[in-house]
Amino acid sequence: MANHIFISYSRKDIKFAEDIVQALADNDLGTWVDWNSIPKGEDWWLQIQRGIEEADDFLFLISPDSVKSKICGDELDHAVANGKRILPIILREPAREPVPEALSKLNWIFCREGRDNFDKAIKETRKTIRTDYEWLN
């Protein structure tokens, strides 16, 4: 698998995160996600930082819970500090919660249950991951 994608999500969205990880794997895209990538007995935050640093892309699953999560915010800050390309996928609209600028200024991929087509969102995600926009410009 050529690409290495870090997945940032709220624990309340774990089922959706599992579906996205599986769909990306089905499309030959490798993911770094905490439930698969942190060995037992290891410093979990250090492992998360390494996962972000080694990633080609940083996928942030937007929901009311993820935008107010301190850990998700710390992951996003680390991705920004390390110059990672950030791909926001919106799972649920954050109605009252402010969306961090690092996410709000980007063009979102919509993958809301019951509103958007999951396969189309995965296709858009895959296309985005495999496109070198710096080379195109």
Side-chain angles (χ1 to χ4, degrees):
M1 294 187 193
N3 289 78
H4 177 71
I5 304 143
F6 185 96
I7 311 287
S8 180
Y9 69 99
S10 163
R11 288 281 187 205
K12 293 182 180 176
D13 299 314
I14 194 164
K15 172 64 175 110
F16 214 96
E18 289 170 344
D19 292 344
I20 288 176
V21 167
Q22 184 59 54
L24 294 175
D26 291 346
N27 284 278
D28 294 323
L29 293 170
T31 57
W32 190 105
V33 65
D34 60 352
W35 68 78
N36 284 336
S37 304
I38 300 177
K40 301 297 181 205
E42 292 298 315
D43 179 329
W44 63 272
W45 179 244
L46 182 61
Q47 294 299 315
I48 285 173
Q49 289 175 314
R50 285 182 184 156
I52 293 168
E53 292 161 9
E54 294 170 3
D56 297 309
D57 298 287
F58 181 90
L59 209 68
F60 191 99
L61 306 184
I62 298 174
S63 72
D65 299 301
S66 67
V67 297
K68 66 182 177 184
S69 164
K70 179 179 178 347
I71 299 300
C72 290
D74 291 346
E75 290 171 348
L76 179 61
D77 290 344
H78 197 69
V80 169
N82 282 273
K84 298 300 170 179
R85 179 167 64 167
I86 298 168
L87 306 172
I89 296 183
I90 186 150
L91 306 182
R92 292 183 287 123
E93 304 275 348
R96 294 185 191 104
E97 299 78 11
V99 176
E101 182 182 359
L103 298 172
S104 66
K105 69 181 183 178
L106 300 173
N107 193 7
W108 295 352
I109 296 169
F110 289 86
C111 193
R112 297 163 296 181
E113 191 170 12
R115 292 182 64 187
D116 302 303
N117 182 295
F118 181 83
D119 292 333
K120 180 181 179 204
I122 294 301
K123 184 177 179 181
E124 289 175 348
T125 302
R126 185 182 70 234
K127 180 180 176 186
T128 302
I129 288 168
R130 291 190 169 150
T131 300
D132 183 350
Y133 289 100
E134 287 185 21
W135 184 82
L136 291 176
N137 290 328

